[in-house]
Amino acid sequence: MVLLALVCLASLLLGAGDVGPARALAVLMGQGDAEARFVLGSLRLPRTLIGLVVGLSLGVAGALLQAVTRNPLAEPGLLGVSAGAAFAVALALLLGATATTMRVGVAQLGAMAGCLCVLGVARVSGAGNDPVRLVLAGAALTGLLLSLTSLLLLFDQRAADEIRFWIVGSLAGRRLEHLVAILPSLLLAGGLVLAVARPLAAMALGERIASGLGHRPGLIRLLVIVAVALLVGAATATAGPIAFIGLVVPFAARALAGPDIRRTLWFCLPLGPLMVIAADIVSRLLVAPSEMPLGVLTALCGAPVLVAVVRARRMPTL
């Protein structure tokens, strides 16, 4: 938590513009000029808060998806869940949708369709037990959805302009109203996560044992699908499809907390925001005075992690 607080402070102090750490720190101390106050209050503070929520959502969603598929490579960005949300938003924009709250709901419906596809593939005989085959199937679904999204944008220049940031993922330009729009669904998702955490831990021992303990695996899977759809849809509607956070965060959380999903979820709460905000800071400074999209940076850093996990002699199992 201390490290997360330091990263949040760095997110307020550092940026690609003319307002450096000294001017930003003066604002935090109750002084500073008007330009610095505007940059911190209107740009960096909303960006940091949204980074907190997006990181938390993607980290927890990745842990849930990996637990319910019993696959350590299951990740919303890799398996088409985020791409499904982006495709749904592109389709809604093409049909004339403009309200922020509408986009959140549409993105969550698209994410839910992606979740159903993932679980459908996972339950195909043999595919769910092979992490690499599941990722390949998810990559094919992601490629198909991204191609359809690009095709939709060719028909409407307005939609192309509005959705451009969704294609690469970014926290730049996000406002507090975007955060307010997703809070109700995130609260609902939080309640679902609390409800399914204990049954998911029992399901890790096998569905028969979970049933013997009084749990209902089919209902638990449905609740997990809804929770993942709410979390990924809200994050994607706000910041676009940001890949690999849902893979790296649960992987690091399990390394610290062990295989118990309940402890993993607790560790995902600070680790997700920590990684997203740290990556966002690097994206601001790497090509200053311009900025690199956050989704590009997470893909550059996350792809080697995926390759390392796949090439590991002992594939971790759940």
Side-chain angles (χ1 to χ4, degrees):
M1 294 302 294
V2 175
L3 187 57
L4 177 60
L6 292 175
V7 170
C8 290
L9 178 61
S11 178
L12 295 175
L13 297 181
L14 302 174
D18 296 330
V19 178
R23 295 174 64 187
L25 186 60
V27 174
L28 295 179
M29 299 295 291
Q31 302 174 1
D33 54 84
E35 181 186 11
R37 286 196 296 271
F38 171 78
V39 169
L40 257 71
S42 301
L43 301 179
R44 294 182 187 174
L45 179 60
R47 188 169 182 161
T48 303
L49 294 176
I50 290 174
L52 282 169
V53 174
V54 168
L56 185 151
S57 300
L58 293 178
V60 171
L64 291 175
L65 201 56
Q66 292 175 12
V68 77
T69 60
R70 306 192 67 175
N71 189 323
L73 297 183
E75 198 269 338
L78 291 177
L79 300 186
V81 181
S82 299
F87 173 73
V89 172
L91 185 60
L93 288 174
L94 184 65
L95 297 176
T98 55
T100 302
T101 53
M102 179 182 294
R103 294 178 191 176
V104 175
V106 168
Q108 289 167 338
L109 288 177
M112 184 174 294
C115 284
L116 292 174
C117 291
V118 170
L119 290 185
V121 172
R123 295 185 70 82
V124 171
S125 179
N129 297 325
D130 188 338
V132 177
R133 287 180 62 188
L134 184 60
V135 170
L136 290 177
L141 176 62
T142 300
L144 173 64
L145 290 172
L146 291 179
S147 298
L148 292 175
T149 302
S150 300
L151 184 62
L152 287 178
L153 298 183
L154 292 177
F155 292 105
D156 191 332
Q157 186 59 43
R158 179 188 69 86
D161 292 337
E162 292 195 28
I163 204 173
R164 185 171 292 116
F165 79 95
W166 264 296
I167 302 302
V168 292
S170 175
L171 299 180
R174 300 294 85 205
R175 300 185 298 273
L176 287 178
E177 67 183 71
H178 295 95
L179 182 60
V180 172
I182 64 175
L183 284 182
S185 59
L186 292 182
L187 291 175
L188 177 59
L192 291 175
V193 172
L194 291 175
V196 302
R198 186 176 179 183
L200 270 180
M203 286 177 62
L205 303 175
E207 292 194 4
R208 290 186 178 179
I209 296 178
S211 299
L213 294 174
H215 301 301
R216 300 168 60 186
L219 177 61
I220 299 306
R221 275 193 290 273
L222 177 61
L223 294 179
V224 169
I225 289 174
V226 175
V228 171
L230 290 174
L231 292 169
V232 176
T236 304
T238 306
I242 300 175
F244 293 107
I245 296 298
L247 171 71
V248 177
V249 170
F251 191 77
R254 277 195 301 275
L256 296 172
D260 192 319
I261 182 63
R262 292 166 293 186
R263 289 173 55 83
T264 299
L265 289 172
W266 279 114
F267 274 80
C268 286
L269 296 180
L271 286 177
L274 177 65
M275 290 188 180
V276 168
I277 295 176
D280 185 52
I281 294 172
V282 175
S283 72
R284 300 180 209 173
L285 303 178
L286 197 60
V287 292
S290 301
E291 293 189 16
M292 176 183 291
L294 175 61
V296 174
L297 186 65
T298 58
L300 290 175
C301 298
V305 175
L306 175 63
V307 173
V309 172
V310 172
R311 288 180 59 85
R313 290 187 176 182
R314 294 184 58 189
M315 178 74 70
T317 56
L318 297 176

